[in-house]
Amino acid sequence: MAQRGGRRQQTWGAPMSWREAEVLEAARAVAAARGGAQSRADWLLGLAQIVLREGLQDLSLPASVRERGSRALEGLAKEGAELAAHPPRVGRPPQV
């Protein structure tokens, strides 16, 4: 789902050392070797979904945190459905 079809995009970054960046790239390489190449965004979203699903089951977390996780998963599912219903046009740049 990293390809957003010309819609407005938001990036997310975090300062880290080169060793930390190497750890993340190595983990992504392992994941790519197991299940096929993925963009960084798709790989991070996959990890986030695992964490969120586990968090929904953890009753020791505050209800507001679990609710936020639930809304995030619902929003991601909604975006996936919208993208599937209206795929981007190949070869045509987005119009601003």
Side-chain angles (χ1 to χ4, degrees), residues 21-70:
E22 181 61 29
V23 167
L24 290 178
E25 287 300 326
R28 192 169 77 104
V30 169
R34 286 183 175 168
Q38 286 184 319
S39 70
R40 287 181 180 144
D42 287 336
W43 180 70
L44 285 172
L45 285 171
L47 290 178
Q49 288 178 42
I50 293 168
V51 170
L52 289 172
R53 287 189 186 111
E54 290 174 356
L56 293 178
Q57 305 301 320
D58 187 356
L59 298 179
S60 67
L61 293 174
S64 61
V65 172
R66 290 194 318 267
E67 178 61 30
R68 183 177 180 189
S70 176

Side-chain angles (χ1 to χ4, degrees), residues 3-35:
Q3 194 176 55
R4 300 292 190 250
R7 293 183 182 96
R8 187 176 295 182
Q9 295 183 3
Q10 181 174 355
T11 59
W12 182 78
M16 63 181 64
S17 71
W18 66 270
R19 287 183 181 103
E20 292 168 333
E22 181 61 29
V23 167
L24 290 178
E25 287 300 326
R28 192 169 77 104
V30 169
R34 286 183 175 168

